[in-house]
Amino acid sequence: MMFQYDLVVVGSGPAGRRGAIQAAKLGKKVLVIEQGKRVGGVSVHTGTIPSKTLRETALNLSGWRERGFYGRSYRVKQEISAEDLRRRLLITLNHEVEVLEHQFARNRVHHMRGRASFVDASTLQVIKDDGEITQVSAASVLLAVGTKPFRPDYMPFDGKTVLDSDELLDIEELPRSMIVIGAGVIGIEYATIFSALDTAVTVIDPKATMLDFIDKEIVEDFTYQLRDRNMKLLLGQKADKVETLDNGKVELTLDSGRRLTTDMVLFAAGRMGATDTLNLPAIGLEADSRGRLKVNPETFQTSVANVYAAGDVVGFPSLASTSMEQGRIAARVAIGAVAKEPQKYFPYGIYAVPEISTCGLTEEEMKERGIAYECGIARFRETSRGHIMGLDTGLLKLIFSLKTRRLLGVHIVGEGATELVHIGQAVLNLKGTVEYFVENTFNYPTLAEAYKIAGLDAWNRMGDIKSEL
């Protein structure tokens, strides 16, 4: 059977674009179908890039990084508006879209605007913006449709005072107070960003703990920093009722009976796979209750032989970085090319204020697996660079096996954590030991010097390997 395309990719986010370009570089005919107004998907328009741009703008305009020297009242711009945040956001988004469009053109990747749905496993119907309906056929299909905010019926969303994480980017003015429902990654990132802008923020979550996949000691340090700047964390409590008041404010009633009033509510309690419009029953494919698709974790193949899925739509870890790799691997498998298994350990970044980044095993996982271990700790204030930057917080934690002396986990909370983690990631994947950090020279003064401090901290308790021979 002759197909119009070797690979059709539905969605142009990190997984979709990386998969499409990988297949095109291998000489295959590729089409990307995107239902958004511009290519880039959730990552570029409402997720990764916007939230990180918002974070950087907030920290720059508020003078957050300089407050260690000049006090908590220090601000670069006294009156920060929503328009100030939006201006930088639009510049960044336009640049990202231009780069992506150029990549598609350079690699001869075709792309089409419209909503795709299955006719059969090799045929997709596309409804374009003007109502025109067309069909395309492909030897293989890669679903990289991403996710959308979970919007329960009981939440009175109005786009102004009760919003989801997509709508938050279009607010007209910064709230003086905000309640964030959901202490997951998205909720915590936005909560801490607005806290840095001096909005009074309260976080509510039914679970008694947050960020459970992160090393507990790191979460404890992070939690202390949030409470130290007067953020309220109401964990183990649920919002039973949310209603907008005549004065423009929002009132929440918790299951404990407590009532809270605020200017704005951000509902960030989960996301749904954007699979509801794909007509999955036509090919015998079924999504779970959150719209996610089950795949082979090595090939990203679904239960339908020629249909693959990658990115946030397949669930954890739902990172732009891992989605790119998933899309690349899926595309290679789909067109019959060899695909190597990705590295075992990848970094996880949470772009909160402060940042958190982690790679490898947590101390809790070490205990569960019965691995004898030792930890090394360094605080950023112990480094000269930390003093120069005015940091009085920040923690780097390394976990080593006592038996092999190998690094098995690196966990960081503080300024630059998502950049610093890659040193530990490289040593971890290359099976380096504590001696790497003790015997190597790091630039001085840098925050990276914390690796040497943490390495020495662990080495002092583990003992010199020579004395054990």
Side-chain angles (χ1 to χ4, degrees), residues 253-336:
T253 304
L254 305 186
D255 54 2
S256 62
R258 183 174 179 180
R259 290 187 178 184
L260 304 171
T261 304
T262 185
D263 291 337
M264 184 177 289
V265 171
L266 168 63
F267 185 85
R271 295 181 67 87
M272 299 276 293
T275 53
D276 55 326
T277 61
L278 291 174
N279 191 23
L280 296 177
I283 59 171
L285 204 58
E286 186 177 354
D288 68 11
S289 60
R290 280 294 180 107
R292 295 169 297 203
L293 297 174
K294 187 177 181 180
V295 295
N296 180 320
E298 295 179 0
T299 64
F300 299 97
Q301 186 178 37
T302 68
S303 58
V304 179
N306 71 317
V307 177
Y308 299 76
D312 288 8
V313 75
V314 303
F316 187 86
S318 297
L319 299 169
S321 56
T322 53
S323 294
M324 289 180 188
E325 274 304 288
Q326 290 172 1
R328 185 185 69 83
I329 292 169
R332 290 185 69 90
V333 175
I335 63 174

Coordinates of all heavy atoms in Angstrom, one line a residue, residues 253-336:
T253 N -14.1 27.5 51.1 CA -14.5 26.8 52.4 C -13.7 25.5 52.4 O -13.9 24.7 51.4 CB -16.0 26.6 52.5 OG1 -16.7 27.9 52.4 CG2 -16.3 26.0 53.8
L254 N -12.9 25.3 53.3 CA -12.1 24.0 53.4 C -12.9 23.0 54.2 O -13.9 23.3 54.9 CB -10.8 24.3 54.1 CG -9.9 25.4 53.5 CD1 -8.5 25.5 54.2 CD2 -9.7 25.3 52.0
D255 N -12.4 21.7 54.0 CA -13.1 20.6 54.7 C -13.0 20.7 56.2 O -13.8 20.1 56.9 CB -12.6 19.3 54.2 CG -11.1 19.1 54.3 OD1 -10.5 20.1 54.8 OD2 -10.6 18.1 53.9
S256 N -12.1 21.5 56.7 CA -11.9 21.7 58.1 C -12.9 22.8 58.6 O -13.0 23.0 59.8 CB -10.5 22.2 58.4 OG -10.3 23.5 57.8
G257 N -13.6 23.4 57.7 CA -14.6 24.5 58.1 C -14.0 25.9 58.0 O -14.7 26.8 58.1
R258 N -12.7 25.9 57.8 CA -12.0 27.2 57.7 C -12.4 27.9 56.4 O -12.6 27.3 55.3 CB -10.5 27.0 57.7 CG -9.7 28.3 57.6 CD -8.2 27.9 57.8 NE -7.4 29.1 57.8 CZ -6.0 29.1 57.9 NH1 -5.4 27.9 58.1 NH2 -5.3 30.2 57.8
R259 N -12.6 29.2 56.4 CA -12.9 30.0 55.2 C -11.8 31.0 54.9 O -11.2 31.6 55.8 CB -14.2 30.8 55.5 CG -15.5 29.9 55.5 CD -16.7 30.7 55.6 NE -17.9 29.9 55.6 CZ -19.1 30.4 55.6 NH1 -19.3 31.7 55.6 NH2 -20.2 29.6 55.6
L260 N -11.5 31.1 53.6 CA -10.4 32.0 53.1 C -11.0 32.8 52.0 O -11.8 32.4 51.2 CB -9.3 31.1 52.6 CG -8.6 30.1 53.5 CD1 -7.7 29.2 52.7 CD2 -7.9 30.8 54.7
T261 N -10.6 34.1 52.0 CA -10.9 35.0 51.0 C -9.7 35.5 50.2 O -8.7 35.8 50.9 CB -11.7 36.2 51.6 OG1 -12.8 35.8 52.3 CG2 -12.2 37.2 50.4
T262 N -9.8 35.6 48.9 CA -8.6 36.0 48.1 C -9.0 36.7 46.9 O -10.2 36.7 46.5 CB -7.8 34.7 47.8 OG1 -6.6 35.1 47.1 CG2 -8.6 33.8 46.9
D263 N -8.0 37.4 46.2 CA -8.3 38.1 45.0 C -8.4 37.1 43.8 O -9.1 37.4 42.8 CB -7.2 39.1 44.7 CG -7.2 40.3 45.7 OD1 -8.3 40.5 46.2 OD2 -6.1 40.9 45.8
M264 N -7.6 36.0 43.9 CA -7.5 35.1 42.7 C -7.3 33.7 43.2 O -6.6 33.5 44.1 CB -6.4 35.6 41.8 CG -6.3 34.8 40.5 SD -5.0 35.5 39.4 CE -5.7 37.0 38.9
V265 N -7.9 32.7 42.4 CA -7.7 31.3 42.7 C -7.1 30.7 41.4 O -7.6 30.9 40.3 CB -9.0 30.6 43.1 CG1 -8.7 29.1 43.1 CG2 -9.5 31.1 44.4
L266 N -5.9 30.0 41.6 CA -5.4 29.2 40.5 C -5.6 27.8 40.8 O -5.1 27.3 41.8 CB -3.9 29.5 40.4 CG -3.1 28.6 39.5 CD1 -3.6 28.7 38.0 CD2 -1.6 28.8 39.6
F267 N -6.3 27.1 39.9 CA -6.6 25.7 40.1 C -5.5 24.9 39.3 O -5.5 25.0 38.0 CB -8.0 25.3 39.6 CG -8.3 23.8 39.9 CD1 -8.8 23.4 41.1 CD2 -8.1 22.9 38.9 CE1 -9.0 22.1 41.4 CE2 -8.4 21.5 39.2 CZ -8.8 21.1 40.4
A268 N -4.6 24.2 39.9 CA -3.5 23.6 39.3 C -3.4 22.1 39.8 O -2.3 21.7 40.1 CB -2.2 24.3 39.5
A269 N -4.5 21.4 39.9 CA -4.5 20.1 40.5 C -4.6 19.1 39.3 O -5.6 18.4 39.2 CB -5.7 19.9 41.4
G270 N -3.5 19.0 38.5 CA -3.4 18.0 37.5 C -3.8 18.4 36.1 O -4.4 19.5 35.9
R271 N -3.4 17.6 35.1 CA -3.7 17.8 33.7 C -4.2 16.6 33.1 O -4.0 15.5 33.6 CB -2.4 18.3 33.0 CG -1.9 19.7 33.5 CD -0.6 20.1 32.8 NE -0.8 20.4 31.4 CZ -1.2 21.6 31.0 NH1 -1.5 22.6 31.8 NH2 -1.4 21.8 29.7
M272 N -4.8 16.8 31.9 CA -5.5 15.7 31.2 C -4.8 15.5 29.8 O -4.5 16.5 29.2 CB -7.0 16.0 30.9 CG -7.8 16.1 32.2 SD -8.3 14.6 32.8 CE -9.4 14.0 31.5
G273 N -4.6 14.3 29.4 CA -4.1 14.0 28.1 C -5.1 14.6 27.0 O -6.3 14.3 27.2
A274 N -4.6 15.3 26.0 CA -5.5 15.9 25.0 C -5.8 14.9 23.9 O -5.5 15.1 22.8 CB -4.8 17.2 24.5
T275 N -6.5 13.8 24.3 CA -6.8 12.7 23.4 C -8.2 12.6 23.1 O -8.6 11.8 22.3 CB -6.3 11.4 24.0 OG1 -6.9 11.2 25.3 CG2 -4.8 11.3 24.1
D276 N -9.1 13.5 23.7 CA -10.5 13.3 23.5 C -11.0 13.5 22.1 O -12.1 13.1 21.7 CB -11.3 14.2 24.5 CG -10.9 15.7 24.4 OD1 -9.7 15.9 24.1 OD2 -11.7 16.5 24.6
T277 N -10.3 14.2 21.2 CA -10.8 14.5 19.9 C -10.1 13.7 18.8 O -10.3 13.9 17.6 CB -10.4 16.0 19.5 OG1 -9.0 16.2 19.6 CG2 -11.2 17.0 20.5
L278 N -9.3 12.7 19.2 CA -8.6 11.8 18.3 C -9.4 10.7 17.7 O -8.9 10.0 16.8 CB -7.3 11.3 18.9 CG -6.2 12.3 19.3 CD1 -5.1 11.6 20.1 CD2 -5.6 12.9 18.0
N279 N -10.6 10.4 18.2 CA -11.4 9.3 17.8 C -10.6 8.0 17.9 O -10.5 7.2 17.0 CB -11.9 9.5 16.4 CG -12.9 8.4 16.0 OD1 -13.6 7.9 16.8 ND2 -13.0 8.1 14.7
L280 N -10.1 7.8 19.1 CA -9.3 6.6 19.4 C -10.0 5.3 19.2 O -9.5 4.3 18.8 CB -8.7 6.7 20.8 CG -7.7 7.8 21.1 CD1 -7.2 7.8 22.5 CD2 -6.5 7.7 20.2
P281 N -11.4 5.2 19.5 CA -12.1 4.0 19.3 C -12.0 3.5 17.9 O -12.1 2.3 17.6 CB -13.5 4.4 19.7 CG -13.4 5.5 20.7 CD -12.2 6.3 20.2
A282 N -11.8 4.4 16.9 CA -11.7 3.9 15.5 C -10.6 3.0 15.2 O -10.6 2.2 14.3 CB -11.6 5.2 14.6
I283 N -9.6 3.0 16.1 CA -8.4 2.1 15.9 C -8.3 1.1 17.1 O -7.3 0.5 17.2 CB -7.1 2.9 15.7 CG1 -6.8 3.8 16.9 CG2 -7.2 3.7 14.4 CD1 -5.4 4.5 16.9
G284 N -9.3 1.1 18.0 CA -9.2 0.2 19.1 C -8.3 0.6 20.2 O -7.8 -0.3 21.0
L285 N -8.0 1.9 20.3 CA -7.1 2.4 21.3 C -7.9 3.1 22.4 O -8.9 3.8 22.1 CB -6.1 3.3 20.7 CG -4.8 3.6 21.4 CD1 -4.0 2.2 21.6 CD2 -3.9 4.5 20.6
E286 N -7.5 2.9 23.6 CA -8.3 3.5 24.8 C -7.4 4.3 25.7 O -6.3 3.8 26.1 CB -9.0 2.4 25.5 CG -10.0 3.0 26.6 CD -10.7 1.9 27.3 OE1 -10.6 0.7 26.9 OE2 -11.4 2.2 28.3
A287 N -7.7 5.5 26.1 CA -6.9 6.3 27.0 C -7.5 6.0 28.4 O -8.6 5.5 28.6 CB -7.1 7.8 26.7
D288 N -6.6 6.3 29.4 CA -7.1 6.1 30.8 C -8.0 7.2 31.3 O -8.3 8.1 30.5 CB -5.9 5.9 31.8 CG -5.0 7.1 31.9 OD1 -5.4 8.2 31.5 OD2 -3.9 7.0 32.5
S289 N -8.3 7.2 32.5 CA -9.3 8.2 33.1 C -8.7 9.7 33.0 O -9.5 10.6 33.0 CB -9.6 7.9 34.5 OG -8.4 8.0 35.3
R290 N -7.4 9.8 32.8 CA -6.8 11.1 32.7 C -6.4 11.4 31.2 O -5.6 12.3 31.0 CB -5.6 11.3 33.7 CG -6.0 11.6 35.1 CD -6.7 13.0 35.2 NE -7.1 13.4 36.5 CZ -6.4 14.3 37.3 NH1 -5.3 14.9 36.8 NH2 -6.8 14.6 38.5
G291 N -6.9 10.6 30.3 CA -6.6 10.9 28.9 C -5.2 10.4 28.4 O -4.8 10.8 27.4
R292 N -4.5 9.7 29.3 CA -3.1 9.3 28.9 C -3.1 7.9 28.2 O -4.0 7.1 28.4 CB -2.3 9.2 30.2 CG -2.1 10.5 30.9 CD -1.5 10.4 32.2 NE -2.4 9.6 33.1 CZ -2.3 9.7 34.5 NH1 -1.5 10.5 35.0 NH2 -3.2 9.0 35.2
L293 N -2.1 7.7 27.4 CA -2.0 6.5 26.6 C -0.9 5.6 27.2 O 0.2 6.1 27.6 CB -1.6 6.8 25.1 CG -2.7 7.7 24.4 CD1 -2.2 8.1 23.0 CD2 -4.0 6.9 24.3
K294 N -1.1 4.3 27.1 CA -0.1 3.3 27.6 C 0.7 2.9 26.4 O 0.3 2.6 25.4 CB -0.8 2.1 28.2 CG 0.1 1.1 28.8 CD -0.7 0.0 29.5 CE 0.3 -1.0 30.2 NZ -0.5 -2.2 30.8
V295 N 2.1 2.9 26.7 CA 3.0 2.6 25.6 C 4.1 1.6 26.2 O 4.3 1.5 27.4 CB 3.7 3.8 25.0 CG1 2.7 4.7 24.3 CG2 4.5 4.6 26.1
N296 N 4.8 1.0 25.2 CA 6.0 0.2 25.6 C 7.1 1.3 26.0 O 7.4 2.1 25.2 CB 6.4 -0.6 24.4 CG 7.7 -1.4 24.6 OD1 8.6 -1.0 25.3 ND2 7.7 -2.6 24.1
P297 N 7.6 1.2 27.2 CA 8.5 2.2 27.6 C 9.9 2.3 26.9 O 10.6 3.2 27.0 CB 8.8 1.9 29.1 CG 8.4 0.4 29.2 CD 7.4 0.2 28.2
E298 N 10.2 1.2 26.1 CA 11.4 1.2 25.3 C 11.2 1.7 23.9 O 12.1 2.3 23.3 CB 12.0 -0.2 25.3 CG 12.4 -0.7 26.7 CD 13.0 -2.1 26.7 OE1 13.0 -2.7 25.6 OE2 13.3 -2.6 27.7
T299 N 10.0 1.4 23.3 CA 9.8 1.8 21.9 C 8.7 2.9 21.8 O 8.6 3.5 20.7 CB 9.3 0.6 21.1 OG1 8.1 0.2 21.6 CG2 10.3 -0.5 21.2
F300 N 7.9 3.1 22.8 CA 6.8 4.1 22.8 C 5.7 3.7 21.8 O 5.0 4.6 21.3 CB 7.3 5.5 22.6 CG 8.3 5.9 23.7 CD1 9.6 5.8 23.5 CD2 7.8 6.3 24.9 CE1 10.5 6.1 24.5 CE2 8.6 6.7 25.9 CZ 10.0 6.6 25.8
Q301 N 5.6 2.4 21.5 CA 4.6 1.9 20.7 C 3.4 1.6 21.5 O 3.4 1.1 22.6 CB 5.1 0.6 20.0 CG 4.2 0.0 19.0 CD 4.8 -1.3 18.3 OE1 5.5 -2.0 19.0 NE2 4.6 -1.4 17.0
T302 N 2.2 1.9 21.0 CA 0.9 1.6 21.6 C 0.5 0.2 21.3 O 1.3 -0.5 20.6 CB -0.2 2.6 21.2 OG1 -0.5 2.4 19.8 CG2 0.3 4.1 21.3
S303 N -0.6 -0.2 21.7 CA -1.1 -1.5 21.4 C -1.5 -1.7 19.9 O -1.7 -2.8 19.4 CB -2.3 -1.9 22.3 OG -3.4 -0.9 22.1
V304 N -1.6 -0.6 19.2 CA -1.8 -0.6 17.7 C -0.4 -0.5 17.1 O 0.3 0.5 17.3 CB -2.7 0.6 17.3 CG1 -2.8 0.6 15.8 CG2 -4.0 0.5 18.0
A305 N 0.0 -1.5 16.3 CA 1.4 -1.7 15.9 C 2.0 -0.4 15.2 O 3.2 -0.2 15.5 CB 1.4 -2.8 14.9
N306 N 1.3 0.3 14.4 CA 1.9 1.4 13.7 C 1.6 2.8 14.4 O 1.9 3.8 13.8 CB 1.5 1.5 12.2 CG 0.0 1.9 12.1 OD1 -0.8 1.4 12.9 ND2 -0.3 2.8 11.2
V307 N 1.1 2.8 15.5 CA 0.7 4.0 16.2 C 1.6 4.2 17.5 O 1.6 3.3 18.3 CB -0.7 4.1 16.6 CG1 -1.0 5.4 17.4 CG2 -1.6 4.0 15.4
Y308 N 2.3 5.3 17.6 CA 3.2 5.5 18.7 C 2.7 6.8 19.5 O 2.0 7.6 19.0 CB 4.6 5.8 18.2 CG 5.2 4.6 17.5 CD1 4.8 4.3 16.2 CD2 6.1 3.7 18.1 CE1 5.3 3.1 15.5 CE2 6.6 2.6 17.4 CZ 6.2 2.3 16.1 OH 6.7 1.2 15.5
A309 N 3.2 6.9 20.7 CA 2.8 8.1 21.5 C 4.0 8.5 22.4 O 4.7 7.6 22.9 CB 1.6 7.8 22.4
A310 N 4.2 9.8 22.6 CA 5.4 10.2 23.3 C 5.0 11.6 24.0 O 4.1 12.3 23.5 CB 6.6 10.3 22.4
G311 N 5.8 11.9 25.0 CA 5.6 13.2 25.7 C 4.7 13.1 26.8 O 4.4 12.0 27.4
D312 N 4.1 14.2 27.2 CA 3.2 14.3 28.4 C 2.0 13.4 28.3 O 1.5 12.9 29.3 CB 2.7 15.7 28.6 CG 3.8 16.7 29.1 OD1 5.0 16.2 29.1 OD2 3.5 17.8 29.4
V313 N 1.6 13.0 27.1 CA 0.4 12.2 26.9 C 0.6 10.8 27.4 O -0.4 10.1 27.6 CB -0.1 12.2 25.4 CG1 0.8 11.4 24.6 CG2 -1.5 11.8 25.3
V314 N 1.9 10.4 27.6 CA 2.1 9.0 28.1 C 2.4 9.1 29.7 O 2.7 8.0 30.3 CB 3.3 8.3 27.4 CG1 3.0 8.3 25.9 CG2 4.6 9.0 27.7
G315 N 2.3 10.3 30.3 CA 2.5 10.3 31.7 C 3.8 10.7 32.2 O 4.7 11.2 31.5
F316 N 4.1 10.3 33.5 CA 5.4 10.7 34.1 C 6.6 10.3 33.3 O 6.6 9.3 32.6 CB 5.5 9.9 35.5 CG 6.6 10.3 36.4 CD1 6.5 11.4 37.2 CD2 7.8 9.6 36.3 CE1 7.6 11.8 38.0 CE2 8.9 10.0 37.1 CZ 8.8 11.1 37.9
P317 N 7.6 11.1 33.2 CA 7.9 12.3 34.1 C 7.3 13.6 33.5 O 7.4 14.6 34.2 CB 9.4 12.4 34.1 CG 9.9 11.8 32.8 CD 8.9 10.7 32.5
S318 N 6.8 13.6 32.3 CA 6.1 14.8 31.7 C 7.1 16.0 31.8 O 6.7 17.1 32.2 CB 4.8 15.1 32.5 OG 3.9 14.1 32.3
L319 N 8.3 15.8 31.2 CA 9.2 16.9 31.1 C 9.5 17.2 29.7 O 9.5 16.3 28.8 CB 10.6 16.5 31.8 CG 10.5 16.2 33.3 CD1 11.9 15.6 33.7 CD2 10.3 17.5 34.1
A320 N 9.8 18.5 29.3 CA 10.1 18.8 28.0 C 11.3 18.0 27.5 O 11.4 17.5 26.4 CB 10.3 20.3 27.8
S321 N 12.3 17.9 28.4 CA 13.6 17.3 28.1 C 13.4 15.8 27.8 O 13.9 15.3 26.7 CB 14.6 17.4 29.2 OG 14.0 16.9 30.4
T322 N 12.7 15.1 28.6 CA 12.4 13.6 28.4 C 11.5 13.4 27.2 O 11.6 12.4 26.5 CB 11.9 13.0 29.6 OG1 10.7 13.7 30.1 CG2 12.9 12.9 30.8
S323 N 10.5 14.4 27.0 CA 9.6 14.2 25.9 C 10.3 14.3 24.6 O 10.0 13.6 23.6 CB 8.6 15.4 26.0 OG 7.7 15.2 27.1
M324 N 11.4 15.1 24.5 CA 12.2 15.2 23.3 C 12.8 13.9 22.9 O 12.8 13.4 21.8 CB 13.2 16.3 23.4 CG 12.7 17.7 23.4 SD 14.0 18.9 23.6 CE 13.1 20.4 23.8
E325 N 13.4 13.3 24.0 CA 14.0 12.0 23.8 C 13.0 10.9 23.4 O 13.3 10.0 22.6 CB 14.8 11.6 25.0 CG 16.2 12.1 25.1 CD 17.0 11.8 23.8 OE1 17.4 10.6 23.7 OE2 17.3 12.6 23.0
Q326 N 11.9 10.9 24.1 CA 10.8 10.0 23.7 C 10.4 10.1 22.3 O 10.2 9.1 21.6 CB 9.6 10.2 24.7 CG 9.9 9.8 26.1 CD 8.8 10.2 27.1 OE1 7.8 10.7 26.6 NE2 8.9 9.9 28.3
G327 N 10.2 11.3 21.8 CA 9.8 11.6 20.5 C 10.8 11.1 19.5 O 10.5 10.5 18.4
R328 N 12.1 11.3 19.8 CA 13.2 10.9 18.9 C 13.2 9.4 18.8 O 13.3 8.8 17.7 CB 14.5 11.5 19.4 CG 15.7 11.2 18.5 CD 17.0 11.7 19.1 NE 17.3 10.8 20.3 CZ 18.0 9.7 20.2 NH1 18.3 9.2 19.0 NH2 18.2 9.0 21.3
I329 N 13.1 8.7 19.9 CA 13.2 7.2 20.0 C 12.0 6.7 19.2 O 12.1 5.7 18.4 CB 13.3 6.7 21.4 CG1 14.6 7.1 22.0 CG2 13.1 5.2 21.5 CD1 14.7 6.9 23.5
A330 N 10.8 7.2 19.5 CA 9.6 6.7 18.9 C 9.7 6.8 17.3 O 9.3 5.9 16.6 CB 8.4 7.5 19.4
A331 N 10.2 8.0 16.9 CA 10.3 8.2 15.4 C 11.2 7.2 14.8 O 11.0 6.7 13.7 CB 10.7 9.6 15.2
R332 N 12.4 7.0 15.4 CA 13.4 6.0 14.9 C 12.8 4.6 14.8 O 12.9 3.9 13.8 CB 14.6 6.0 15.8 CG 15.4 7.3 15.7 CD 16.8 7.2 16.4 NE 17.7 6.2 15.8 CZ 18.6 6.5 14.9 NH1 18.7 7.8 14.5 NH2 19.4 5.6 14.4
V333 N 12.1 4.2 15.9 CA 11.5 2.9 15.8 C 10.4 2.8 14.8 O 10.3 1.8 14.0 CB 10.9 2.5 17.2 CG1 10.1 1.2 17.2 CG2 11.9 2.5 18.3
A334 N 9.6 3.8 14.6 CA 8.5 3.9 13.7 C 9.0 3.7 12.2 O 8.3 3.1 11.4 CB 7.7 5.2 13.8
I335 N 10.1 4.3 11.9 CA 10.6 4.2 10.5 C 11.6 3.1 10.3 O 12.3 3.0 9.3 CB 11.2 5.5 10.1 CG1 12.5 5.9 10.9 CG2 10.2 6.6 10.2 CD1 13.2 7.1 10.5
G336 N 11.8 2.2 11.4 CA 12.7 1.1 11.2 C 14.2 1.3 11.5 O 15.0 0.5 11.1

